[in-house]
Amino acid sequence: MSQEIATIRVTRYRPEKDSQPFFQEYKVPYRHDMVVLDALNYIKAELDGSLTYRWSCRMGVCGSCGANIDGEPKLTCASFLHEFKDRTITVEPMSHFPVIKDLVVDMEDFMEKLVKIKPWIIRKKDSLVEEGEYRQSSKELDRYQQFSSCINCMLCYAACPIYGLNEKFLGPAATALAYRYIEDSRDQGKDIRFPIVHEIEGVWECTLVGECSVVCPKGVDPMLAIQRTKILGATNAIKSILMPRGGR
Amino acid sequence: MAENKHYPELRKRLTPGWWTANRHYAMYMVREWTSLFVALYSLIFIYGLSLWATGSRADFLNFLKNPAVIGFSLVALVFTMYHAATWFYLLGAVAPVKIGRSKTKPWQALILNLILLVIVSYLAIWLVVLR
Ligand code: SF4
Ligand code: FES
């Protein structure tokens, strides 16, 4: 039996050499159980060592291998070659981010946004270790658990046209993470986080395109988190008008 | 990434045709465009009301009987219903109601809200016209 072949078209961009990106085509021996990342690894090992891309866990956990595959933001380690017609696959860097080299994008902006929303439990006064752990019921856990499974792959940003228009937009994953802490019964940082998520470039920029939740590989549903954050902000504002003192 | 700063920045930005890239984007755009008809219909209706306010009820009714106005109203009705339906569905997706252990599904919110819409519309018509 002759060896089946998959064709991988990859964006090449080496800023020190190329003024413009271009596509390079590679022929890769095809196996049914191969994912796009396997194909990239084959290219790097056997065909062209200069191809540059990120990956680590190859099992959808580390979030480092995102790319636009046939135009859709996906994890390369979770996209099987057999899902694509003709076994011809185009792999480009994720949209909206500055490209450093080939498929590698600059994550700086996203990292800053993650830190900005203070992704840790804020207490008005930390209790002593002797007082024991902060307890939480499974019902309370349910309120935020889904939003805590983000792997920071940034696919949702690559899918978000609002972020594509205005990179100052806080965006899907950072808001989902903020909401995760806002809904955590152990957290007391609402007053600190609310002004951050509700500032001009915060949740109100979102016009409900919803593609972030479609592409998210972890079922985080950032679109839901953003709308819930809007609702919380609006009810809070109304409460503070009706009950200026102690309305929260 | 300070050492990369002197290279020209490459970044795939949003192009005017971005919403043709997939079905979800296109549906989003359809949802937004249908709101245009809601706005246009409101303008026409406000103009009709102004006829009533300055002239007579007959002026207003004649204006409404104009075939062009009837035609546009029908088109606007279809688009308005579609626009409303998309938001009712999203409402159900964003704020599901917990009943016992299960949560309501978006399509249930859609149907319930459409029924409410029909009831409220009928009440309004009854109050203003039929009574
Ligand atoms: S919310 Fe989903 S798509 Fe966005 S970074 Fe987290 S895991 Fe990735
Ligand atoms: S390599 Fe870790 S998520 Fe794909």
Side-chain angles (χ1 to χ4, degrees):
Chain A
M1 207 179 81
S2 71
Q3 172 68 56
E4 285 184 78
I5 296 288
T7 309
I8 316 285
R9 285 174 77 225
V10 192
T11 303
R12 300 303 310 271
Y13 176 62
R14 299 153 300 183
E16 70 284 5
K17 279 197 233 162
D18 316 321
S19 58
Q20 285 299 317
F22 59 96
F23 280 117
Q24 193 158 352
E25 227 175 76
Y26 300 98
K27 303 274 182 208
V28 173
Y30 169 87
R31 279 192 338 260
H32 185 75
D33 60 357
M34 247 178 149
V35 291
V36 173
L37 180 60
D38 294 329
L40 294 177
N41 283 342
Y42 179 89
I43 297 168
K44 189 155 179 92
E46 307 290 338
L47 306 175
D48 185 348
S50 72
L51 183 67
T52 308
Y53 51 96
R54 284 199 185 101
W55 66 286
S56 175
C57 71
R58 55 174 197 32
M59 50 194 274
V61 173
C62 73
S64 60
C65 69
N68 272 19
I69 306 181
D70 275 2
E72 304 251 337
K74 286 188 169 136
L75 297 178
T76 57
C77 72
S79 306
F80 282 93
L81 296 190
H82 65 73
E83 291 166 10
F84 299 87
K85 265 207 303 270
D86 312 331
R87 306 212 174 111
T88 302
I89 298 155
T90 305
V91 188
E92 297 165 276
M94 284 187 283
S95 308
H96 311 328
F97 296 103
V99 180
I100 296 172
K101 191 180 178 196
D102 296 344
L103 299 177
V104 176
V105 297
D106 189 347
M107 304 172 62
E108 209 54 35
D109 177 54
F110 177 60
M111 290 299 151
E112 277 165 22
K113 280 172 178 156
L114 283 187
V115 176
K116 188 175 166 187
I117 58 104
K118 304 190 190 296
W120 52 81
I121 286 180
I122 300 173
R123 299 287 292 187
K124 296 213 165 109
K125 198 172 151 286
D126 283 324
S127 37
L128 299 169
V129 174
E130 300 84 69
E131 290 170 37
E133 58 282 85
Y134 301 129
R135 295 232 161 182
Q136 190 164 58
S137 71
S138 56
K139 238 188 182 159
E140 287 165 332
L141 175 66
D142 264 358
R143 293 183 71 87
Y144 71 85
Q145 193 171 33
Q146 162 188 15
F147 305 102
S148 70
S149 31
C150 171
I151 55 172
N152 302 343
C153 62
M154 316 197 299
L155 296 185
C156 49
Y157 284 78
C160 175
I162 308 294
Y163 183 67
L165 274 178
N166 177 7
E167 70 248 27
K168 291 206 182 109
F169 174 39
L170 184 60
T175 313
L177 195 58
Y179 183 74
R180 174 244 173 280
Y181 284 96
I182 289 170
E183 279 293 5
D184 191 324
S185 59
R186 299 164 297 177
D187 186 83
Q188 298 171 336
K190 263 204 190 86
D191 294 346
I192 299 170
R193 270 190 212 97
F194 262 44
I196 303 171
V197 292
H198 288 291
E199 64 185 25
I200 307 272
E201 254 93 19
V203 287
W204 300 98
E205 276 285 287
C206 169
T207 58
L208 259 156
V209 180
E211 191 69 359
C212 52
S213 297
V214 175
V215 300
C216 176
K218 289 289 161 185
V220 172
D221 205 345
M223 188 271 258
L224 181 67
I226 296 176
Q227 309 327 311
R228 293 248 175 100
T229 308
K230 285 183 189 169
I231 296 172
L232 283 180
T235 41
N236 234 340
I238 293 169
K239 268 192 208 156
S240 63
I241 291 168
L242 296 181
M243 299 176 275
R245 266 175 293 246
R248 298 223 163 143
Chain B
M1 294 300 136
E3 67 272 25
N4 286 314
K5 280 279 151 66
H6 55 278
Y7 297 122
E9 189 186 82
L10 175 72
R11 193 192 276 241
K12 205 169 160 197
R13 299 227 174 234
L14 218 60
T15 53
W18 67 272
W19 53 275
T20 55
N22 74 33
R23 197 173 49 88
H24 302 123
Y25 290 149
M27 291 312 285
Y28 161 80
M29 223 42 175
V30 171
R31 185 187 86 204
E32 299 297 293
W33 273 339
T34 48
S35 68
L36 213 76
F37 286 83
V38 181
L40 275 178
Y41 180 76
S42 313
L43 287 179
I44 291 177
F45 193 67
I46 289 169
Y47 174 71
L49 284 181
S50 77
L51 284 182
W52 189 359
T54 54
S56 66
R57 195 180 160 118
D59 288 344
F60 178 47
L61 290 180
N62 280 336
F63 171 72
L64 287 187
K65 279 181 195 151
N66 183 324
V69 174
I70 292 178
F72 180 79
S73 299
L74 284 176
V75 175
L77 178 68
V78 172
F79 285 145
T80 307
M81 287 307 286
Y82 176 79
H83 190 81
T86 56
W87 284 106
F88 288 155
Y89 186 87
L90 280 170
L91 180 70
V94 169
V97 182
K98 255 202 180 142
I99 301 173
R101 281 186 175 210
S102 58
K103 279 183 188 166
T104 53
K105 301 266 175 305
W107 63 265
Q108 292 170 320
L110 170 65
I111 291 176
L112 182 72
N113 278 288
L114 283 178
I115 294 173
L116 283 175
L117 180 71
V118 171
I119 294 176
V120 171
S121 303
Y122 181 78
L123 280 179
I125 294 170
W126 181 78
L127 265 177
V128 178
V129 187
L130 300 179
R131 201 159 53 125

